[in-house]
Amino acid sequence: DGIARAGLRLTPELRIEIGGKLFDGYKEEPLRATDDPSALAATWNDYERGTVEARLAGETNGIDVDARWYRNFGEHRFNDGWHSRDRTDGVAAHLRGSPLDGLTVGGGGDLRLLWGESLGEPVGEWDKRDGGLFATAEYRPLEAIALSGGLRYHADQYAGSEWCPSAGIVWHAGPATTLRATAARGFRVPQINELFMYPISNPDLETERVWNVEAGVRQTFGDALAVDLAVFRMTGDGFIDLSLNPDAPPLYRFDNIGEVVFTGLETTVE
């Protein structure tokens, strides 16, 4: 297990950082109390993961800059015969600035190239590309009110494209009372291991989609107590999980299982 980091300051406000980490481990599950003490462990895994990254961050001409390139990689072996390698290469950039008093805007994009290889059953290698563009804004028409909004466009090689808007408001109704409300659309595209790499994978998987709406209030009572109360409702469809395979074997496979609804209440006392 090792970690390395280094940096170079280009200007008083702008810097380059590079780094990486690597983990290589072998683990055996303990024997049962009734097993022969001289027996070898039947369950084990050999696990290697690593990452390298280069990042440009800071401020230039009044604009906050955060851009990076990264690679994650790994290799895994398990006692049941599973052996795989994977790699993700990505770039991401985010710019943020304040062109007008009370208004902060941001934007950026990201791109990922994913690759995986199975050296067991099923044998093969696969790759996938996805990426997106996004924009955000926050506006304070009054000192006590903050409005926020955002929009992301995401494109996936297999799952197609998605638009994801979000909006929110925060109102400081008094020195001790804050009200808030948010609404946002989210998604999760199928990953390579869900699409291809396992016997239970399904290349016909679709994107998971969700809407989340939340409203809350925070009330403080001097310096001694603060109470936060929030209600939320999340509705989604296409959630990926194991289900019976109509074309067995295998008996189960990943599938989009249908709609879900979560409604809840959260409270925090500090």
Side-chain angles (χ1 to χ4, degrees):
D1 190 11
I3 298 175
R5 300 196 67 85
L8 174 65
R9 188 166 290 279
L10 302 177
T11 70
E13 295 82 21
L14 203 61
R15 66 190 185 278
I16 291 177
E17 302 171 352
I18 58 174
K21 55 185 177 181
L22 179 66
F23 172 82
D24 188 1
Y26 176 83
K27 182 179 72 172
E28 294 181 345
E29 296 297 332
L31 297 171
R32 295 172 298 182
T34 56
D35 289 338
D36 184 348
S38 63
L40 298 176
T43 305
W44 56 268
N45 63 71
D46 191 348
Y47 190 84
E48 178 182 309
R49 296 297 310 173
T51 182
V52 291
E53 179 184 58
R55 182 181 180 220
L56 175 67
E59 181 183 339
T60 178
N61 297 321
I63 299 175
D64 293 330
V65 177
D66 193 339
R68 67 186 183 113
W69 166 87
Y70 62 91
R71 167 174 283 191
N72 300 325
F73 56 91
E75 183 171 359
H76 315 96
R77 293 184 179 91
F78 297 93
N79 61 280
D80 61 3
W82 179 260
H83 184 189
S84 67
R85 300 188 185 100
D86 66 87
R87 181 178 68 244
T88 299
D89 292 298
V91 292
H94 185 194
L95 305 178
R96 188 171 181 268
S98 182
L100 301 172
D101 288 343
L103 176 64
T104 301
V105 296
D110 51 68
L111 175 66
R112 296 190 308 165
L113 306 176
L114 302 95
W115 172 86
E117 179 183 23
S118 172
L119 303 173
E121 182 63 32
V123 176
E125 64 176 272
W126 303 269
D127 60 75
K128 186 170 86 80
R129 300 182 300 274
D130 66 15
L133 299 172
F134 64 88
T136 61
E138 180 178 306
Y139 178 55
R140 289 183 172 271
L142 300 172
E143 184 66 26
I145 297 177
L147 307 174
S148 61
L151 181 65
R152 176 180 175 86
Y153 172 77
H154 187 90
D156 182 270
Q157 180 181 357
Y158 294 103
S161 60
E162 297 287 334
W163 289 94
C164 289
S166 64
I169 181 171
V170 176
W171 176 31
H172 299 286
T177 306
T178 301
L179 305 174
R180 67 185 185 277
T182 60
R185 186 176 189 266
F187 69 96
R188 189 183 79 88
V189 297
Q191 301 303 301
I192 283 183
N193 61 333
E194 295 169 328
L195 290 166
F196 305 115
M197 293 186 67
Y198 300 146
I200 58 175
S201 297
N202 182 357
D204 297 322
L205 289 173
E206 299 179 355
T207 301
E208 297 177 343
R209 300 176 180 88
V210 65
W211 271 101
N212 187 68
V213 179
E214 179 177 323
V217 58
R218 181 177 177 85
Q219 181 71 43
T220 59
F221 301 90
D223 296 328
L225 182 65
V227 178
D228 192 283
L229 181 67
V231 293
F232 65 89
R233 181 176 177 85
M234 184 178 72
T235 58
D237 63 82
F239 278 74
I240 297 171
D241 203 350
L242 288 176
S243 67
L244 287 172
N245 182 7
D247 300 317
L251 182 60
Y252 296 94
R253 71 172 184 178
F254 287 124
D255 206 349
N256 298 98
I257 60 173
E259 299 182 355
V260 294
V261 177
F262 296 102
T263 303
L265 174 70
E266 295 180 341
T267 183
T268 303
V269 179
E270 299 176 352

